Each structure stands twice: as structure tokens, then as C-alpha cells.
């Protein structure tokens, strides 16, 4: 089940809408005239303003704000949907009170469906790539760009902000999320949301919570103990919200410990609204609402995309006293408050031209900061153009483009999908979309004196023949991901493993460039000289990649996820697939069955706290490339660690550039808790990026807040610092931590 942005209306409905549009109240839609509307005074607090508006609203007006207007394939579509700007969600405004409509668009790595709407938007590198930068400034820019482009296209709410942890490495949305560590992911999503909301767009963090696989997402019941949930997946949301005050949280499709996430009182009320003091509104994922009264009391404020439960049934429930008016008012208050707080009432979006050139610049810069150098035997990279006569470029359509991630995150490529017939400007659900950023061209531009030849890699012998006589062979490999599906396994699909092995057999100078949404296995890793993880690098991916390959950019990114040696090493070696009765794919009126609730099937996250590197550490499983790992063209040394306890724990150390190039090092700080805490061996507690010229050394200070050193005590429903010995380790990756110091904390 998925949301397609496609609406059709019978002609009679269109005529009725046209007549309605001529009426004065329609014409005023979105008007924020101040006359007789004291809540239009921006010096009042968002809460004061919202309270005033709620007091003036009729029951019907309140209900209007609680739901969207429908989407084909996910239930009935209201005639009022005609006012939609073309995004996934549209909430009719209250013109009488000067409350504009909410125009929502998916915007994970750029604004979705712009091609379909005759517009253009920048495709940034995928979200996981932004996490690989470990750079909060870059993440802020990422969000700010998306915010600007949403507004230029007439939207005032984003549906981006995916922060589900990589518990299940085969999750088809890994590219849309921010990796396996809650502090890194939470800080990055917080910075993205800050940048976005600064443009006066409502930000949304999703999918709350534990929607960590796509298979059977509308039915699955995730079993997890509370402590593990609070210290892992939920912590990422908690940090993201604290850092950004994001105005909305999207509850997810799945069940958690028995209840659907969108009617889960523990998640929505006890944790989100009470413990975290969240003031914004909870919006359901598309067709993730399953009730009116139960969802309402649990804390769901708004149903999308339609009004199956939060329209007429909600009105009746209020009239019958099953949903108290105070509860309804709280939902409405939260939505209005968020609209005021995010500035979408005071500052309406103005449609305009997207700043294409600036978009290219930001996309390229972030791609350059997010490409991870995984292996570089005998300084194979950077390439020296003047020493190369022949370069073989092989595989993955690298003559024309680079792959992108699909589903509701999909951004339309400029000019259409480069491997489809020309003129197809639109993208479709689960199409493989290749962006028009050609590695072949970018490499040719870097090495004008060399013969740079391409082979598609479909015939292994032909590819090997080209590689054999080349000074260097660059093999491109990809693993495509999409919402609403998971990967079968972590192997590169098709013949790509065989292709790489074959090329490596004939050329000692083989560089592999990966375009993947997450981890892949690499049975050929020992046979190739260099490996570069480019992720889905966005619209300027090839230019960014060429800058890294040829050394114009010194790579500094670090992995936000572990690359395991094999699927067998994962906490769950096999993906849990739904039984037939828990899926609806392709059935008529599937939304009805989903709304009614599909039979649950179980996933038990019994690895608990041991997510990502914490699992491999605790289980002592060797990995292919560890969390936090990434090479540079220079080298760094670490020295002089001093750890000082206080309100925060101050971790000081020195990083020195011991090589011959300028570079930026992400210096990582991990903590091991006292044995009595019963935690995995270590956790990331902070980091700092330090820019260094050759030979230069700098002192670095990382302040670690106590919460990041605490455990979640379920009985006390709070964070608790366990008194005892804490070891702080510092270095360049989760497995290269040369500095260690133990201190006593109370
Ligand atoms: C996805 C959400 C998305 C929504 C609207 C759902 O299928 O899970 O992430 O925001 O559709 O397109």
C-alpha cells in the first residue's frame, strides 16, 4: 500500500467545485487579514494565538483541521482536494478565521513530484549520505534548501525527516534514514529540521516508531522492551525534537507492543507528549489511522490522507460524548499552534523560481562531504590524471547517470530518467530512476589527456577485455532501494559481484564505486585496490565523485552504519516476511482492509539495545567496515586525552594531521558504562570535525551531556546515571580508538 499523488474527479464534481470557488469565502482562503482577528498579532505566543482561534471555531471547522482531503488508492477523495498544490497531503483552511490551508509535500532529499506538477526541485544526496557527513552545518543547509524549495512551490509543510534507526539492514528505506546510532541520527535530523523550519515551513519527523522494515508494515507487531526502545529508536526522535522543536511527528504504519503506532498511548501520549513535552501535532502516516476514539485518546491529532475516521465518525463520537470536546480542542490547538510557531500563518509561501544554481552547489558540496573512502590500497586514490593514459569506466549506467532512492522520497530528475525513453518527465512509484549526472563525463573532464572508455558491464568478458589494458578500471555498482519493499539480502544485485571480481582479476588497479542506500556485502573486497561509497549522491553526484576520485576533494565522511561481512552476522539473519493474510498488495480496495486492521504478525527485536555496532561489539563479530569508519588522503594522529567530569563531561584531546594534504577529520568519542549498567560495550557520545593543514595539530573539546551516559530506568520512567567507572575512548572510528581514559562518575 502506498500513497500516489494522483487525483481524478468526475465532471459534475469539477463543476460544483468551480462554482464553489467563485464564492467569497473560497476566494478568501488563506487570507490572513488582521481585522477583528486578535490572533494575527505575532507578538503573542503561538499558544495564546491558537487558544483564541479555537474559541471561535465551530465543530465542523475543528473537524476540518483534523484530516486531509483524500488520495486516490487510499480511500475516498473529497471534492475539496481541488485546492491541493499537488502534494501528498492537503488540509482545507478556515478562510473565515484567516487560517490558510496546509499544503504538504514529501521532501526527504528534495521536494517530491515536482515533475508531475510541472516544477523542478533539487535532488540532494540521500538522507543517509547527509548523516555520513557527520556535519550539522551541512544538515542545516540540507533542510534549509528543502524548505526554500517547498515554499517556492507553494508548500508550507514537509513530510521529510525520516529517522528510523537501521535495526534491519535490509530495510528498503535505509537511504531515507540517518543510520544506526540514535545520537548521530537525532542530531542530524534536528539540524535538518532547524534549517527547514527557519524557512517557515512545518517540519515533521517520522516514522514514529520502530517502522524498521517495510515488509508487512501495515500489519507487523514489533515487540521490544521499553528500555531498549527508549535508548535506541525513540532516543533518535527525542534528540531530533529537542534540537529543532519540529512541529509535527508522523506516527508509523506498524504496531508496537500490541497497538498500532497511531493509536498507541504509550508512544503518543506517555512518551511524546508527556515525557518529551512535545507541543506540536501527531499526523498519521498515509492510511495508518485505524480508529477515531481510540486513536484520539491515545494522542493522534490528525489523520492523513483522508477522513475515514477523523471526519464524520469523529464528529459523531464528539456529539455522542465518546470523544470529549476538550480532547478534540487539544488536537486542533496543537495544529494551529504549530502553524503559528512555524510561521506559516504570518508568512504565506510565495510561489517562485527555485534557485537551481544554488541547489546544484549545495547538492554537490554535501555529496563531497558524504562520499566515504572505504579502502585505498597503495594509495590507488587519488588518481593522477597526468599519469593515466587509459581509464576503463564500467557498469551501472555510469556513462549517463547515477541511481536514486524511490517511493515517496523520490525526487524527479531534471529532464527525466536518463535510462528511459526521452521526454518521460514523470517518475512513478518504484521506478528505478537514474539522475542525469554522468560519471563518465565527469571523469573525462578530469583526465582530458587520457582515453576514457565505457563498458556497460553486462558481458563480463567484454568488460574484462576493456579493463585489462587500462591503467585503472573504475567499476560502478549499485543497489537500488525503495519504500514499500525490502532488500532480499545485502548482496549487490545481478551479476555485479561477478563483474567486479572479473575486472579485478585482470587489473590490479581496480576502483569500485558503490551507489547504495545502505550496507552491501563485498566478497571481492580483498581483490580490488580502492572502494568508494557514494550512496545515492543526488543531482551533482558525478561531479562530486570525480572531485574525490581525482583528489580535488579530500574525503572526510564516515559511515553512519556498519557494513557487516554477511547477512548471517545480522541480529536477524533472515528478514521476517509477512504471512499472506497480513498483506494486501494489489487487492481491490486494499485501503479498506488496512483501515480495518490486518492480522498481526510478530517481529521481536530481542537484540534490544544492541543496534548496529553495539550488536557486533557485544557479539564480538568482525565486520567488513565498522560504524564511524572512513579514510582520507592524509593521516591523523590522536594524543593528549583529558576527561573532566562536571555538569557535562568535558573530553579534550589533540588531533594532528600527519600527512601531506589538508583535510577534515571527524574525531569520535565513545563511552563504556560501568558493568552494572548492563549496556553494550560502548556507545557514541559525541564528535567534532577538525580541519587541519599538513603538520598542523589542534586541541578539540567535546562536551558530553549526562543523558548520553545514562540508561533508561523503566521503573522510574526516567534517565539514570549509574555511578561508577566510565571509560572514554577517542579516535577515528568505532574500531580505531587509540585514546582511552577512565573516570568515576556519580
Ligand atoms: C510514507 C510516508 C509518506 C506518505 C505520503 C507513505 O506511504 O510511508 O513516509 O510521507 O506516504 O506520501
Amino acid at each position: 500500500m502506498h500513497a500516489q499523488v494522483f487525483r481524478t474527479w468526475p465532471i459534475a464534481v469539477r463543476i460544483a467545485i468551480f462554482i464553489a470557488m467563485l464564492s467569497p469565502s473560497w476566494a478568501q482562503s488563506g487570507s490572513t487579514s488582521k481585522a477583528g482577528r486578535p490572533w494575527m498579532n505575532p507578538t503573542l505566543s503561538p499558544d495564546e494565538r491558537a487558544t483564541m482561534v479555537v474559541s471561535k471555531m465551530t465543530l465542523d471547522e475543528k473537524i476540518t483541521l483534523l484530516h486531509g482531503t483524500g488520495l486516490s488508492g487510499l480511500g475516498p477523495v473529497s471534492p475539496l482536494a481541488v485546492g491541493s498544490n499537488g502534494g501528498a497531503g492537503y488540509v482545507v483552511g478556515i478562510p473565515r478565521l484567516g487560517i490558510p490551508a496546509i499544503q504538504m509535500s514529501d521532501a526527504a532529499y528534495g521536494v517530491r513530484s515536482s515533475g508531475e506538477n510541472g516544477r523542478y526541485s533539487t535532488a540532494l544526496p540521500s538522507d543517509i549520505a547527509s548523516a555520513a557527513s557527520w556535519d550539522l552545518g551541512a544538515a542545516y543547509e540540507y533542510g534549509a534548501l528543502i524548505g526554500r524549495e517547498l515554499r517556492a512551490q507553494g508548500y508550507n509543510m514537509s513530510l521529510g525527516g525520516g529517522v528510523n534507526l537501521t535495526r534491519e539492514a535490509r530495510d528498503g528505506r535505509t537511504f531515507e534514514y540517518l543510520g544506526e546510532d540514535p545520537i548521530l541520527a537525532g542530531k542530524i535530523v534536528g539540524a535538518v529540521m532547524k534549517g527547514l523550519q527557519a524557512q517557515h515551513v512545518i517540519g515533521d519527523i517520522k516514522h514514529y516508531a520502530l517502522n524498521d522494515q517495510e515488509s508487512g508494515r501495515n500489519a507487523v507487531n514489533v515487540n521490544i522492551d521499553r528500555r531498549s526502545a527508549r535508548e535506541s529508536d525513540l532516543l533518535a526522535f527525542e534528540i531530533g525534537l529537542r534540537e529543532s522543536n519540529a512541529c509535527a511527528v508522523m506516527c508509523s504504519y506498524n504496531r508496537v507492543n500490541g497497538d498500532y503506532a497511531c493509536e498507541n498511548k504509550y508512544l503518543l501520549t506517555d512518551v511524546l507528549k508527556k515525557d518529551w513535552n512535545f507541543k506540536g501535532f501527531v499526523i498519521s502516516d498515509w492510511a495508518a489511522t485505524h480508529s477515531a476514539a481510540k486513536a484520539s485518546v491515545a494522542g493522534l491529532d490528525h489523520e492523513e490522507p483522508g477522513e475515514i475516521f477523523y471526519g464524520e465518525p469523529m464528529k459523531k463520537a464528539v456529539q455522542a460524548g465518546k470523544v470529549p470536546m476538550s480532547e478534540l480542542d487539544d488536537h486542533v490547538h496543537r495544529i494551529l499552534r504549530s502553524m503559528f510557531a512555524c510561521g506559516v500563518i504570518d508568512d504565506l509561501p510565495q510561489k517562485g523560481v527555485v534557485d537551481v544554481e544554488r541547489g546544484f552547489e549545495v547538492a554537490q558540496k554535501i555529496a563531497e562531504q558524504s562520499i566515504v573512502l572505504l579502502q585505498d590500497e597503495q594509495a590507488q586514490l587519488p588518481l593522477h590524471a597526468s599519469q593515466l593514459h587509459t581509464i576503463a569506466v564500467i557498469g551501472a549506467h555510469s556513462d549517463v547517470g547515477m541511481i536514486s532512492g524511490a517511493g515517496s522520497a523520490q525526487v524527479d530528475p531534471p529532464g527525466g530518467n536518463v535510462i528511459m525513453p526521452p521526454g518521460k518527465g514523470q517518475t512513478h512509484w518504484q521506478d528505478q530512476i537514474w539522475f542525469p549526472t554522468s560519471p563518465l563525463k565527469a571523469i573525462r573532464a578530469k583526465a582530458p589527456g587520457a582515453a576514457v572508455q565505457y563498458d556497460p558491464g553486462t558481458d563480463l568478458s567484454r568488460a574484462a577485455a576493456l579493463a585489462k589494458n587500462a591503467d585503472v578500471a573504475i567499476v560502478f555498482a549499485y543497489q537500488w532501494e525503495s519504500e514499500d519493499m525490502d532488500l532480499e539480502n545485502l548482496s549487490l544485485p545481478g551479476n555485479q559481484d561477478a563483474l567486479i571480481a572479473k575486472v579485478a582479476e585482470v587489473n590490479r588497479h581496480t576502483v569500485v564505486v558503490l551507489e547504495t542506500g545502505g550496507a552491501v556485502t563485498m566478497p571481492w573486497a580483498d581483490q580490488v585496490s580502492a572502494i568508494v561509497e557514494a550512496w545515492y549522491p543526488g543531482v551533482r553526484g558525478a561531479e562530486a565523485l570525480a572531485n574525490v576520485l581525482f583528489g580535488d576533494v579530500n574525503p572526510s565522511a564516515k559511515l553512519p552504519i556498519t557494513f557487516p561481512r554477511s547477512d548471517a552476522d545480522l541480529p536477524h539473519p533472515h528478514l521476517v516476511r509477512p504471512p499472506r493474510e497480513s498483506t494486501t498488495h494489489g487487492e481491490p480496495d486494499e485501503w479498506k482492509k488496512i483501515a480495518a486492521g490486518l492480522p498481526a504478525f510478530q517481529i521481536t527485536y530481542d537484540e534490544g539495545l544492541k543496534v548496529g555496532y553495539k550488536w557486533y561489539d557485544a557479539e564480538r563479530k568482525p565486520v567488513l567496515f565498522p560504524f564511524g569508519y572512513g579514510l582520507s588522503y592524509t593521516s591523523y594522529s590522536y594524543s593528549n586525552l583529558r576527561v573532566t567530569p562536571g555538569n557535562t563531561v568535558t573530553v579534550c584531546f589533540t588531533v594532528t594531521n600527519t600527512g601531506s594534504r589538508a583535510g577534515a577529520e571527524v574525531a569520535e568519542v565513545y563511552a563504556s558504562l560501568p558493568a552494572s549498567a548492563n549496556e553494550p560495550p560502548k556507545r557514541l557520545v559525541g564528535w567534532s570535525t577538525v580541519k587541519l593543514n599538513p603538520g598542523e595539530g589542534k586541541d578539540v573539546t567535546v562536551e558530553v551531556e549526562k543523558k548520553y551516559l545514562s540508561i533508561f530506568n523503566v521503573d522510574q520512567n526516567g534517565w539514570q546515571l549509574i555511578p561508577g567507572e566510565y571509560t572514554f575512548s577517542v579516535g577515528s572510528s568505532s574500531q580505531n580508538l587509540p585514546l582511552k581514559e577512565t573516570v568515576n562518575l556519580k
Side-chain angles (χ1 to χ4, degrees), residues 1-3 88 106 112 159 173 176 206-207 217 250 253 285-286 408 429 483:
M1 171 54 70
H2 55 80
D106 283 301
R112 179 190 179 194
L159 302 171
R173 299 186 87 166
E176 266 188 74
K206 69 186 186 185
H207 306 88
R217 64 181 178 169
M250 185 189 291
Y253 284 124
D285 200 342
W286 269 230
S408 59
W429 191 256
E483 175 185 343

Side-chain angles (χ1 to χ4, degrees), residues 185-205:
K187 290 246 180 201
I188 295 279
V189 79
V192 171
M193 288 296 119
K194 246 196 243 173
L196 181 115
Q197 292 199 157
Q199 315 309 312
H200 295 164
V201 170
I202 297 173
D204 158 59
I205 303 191

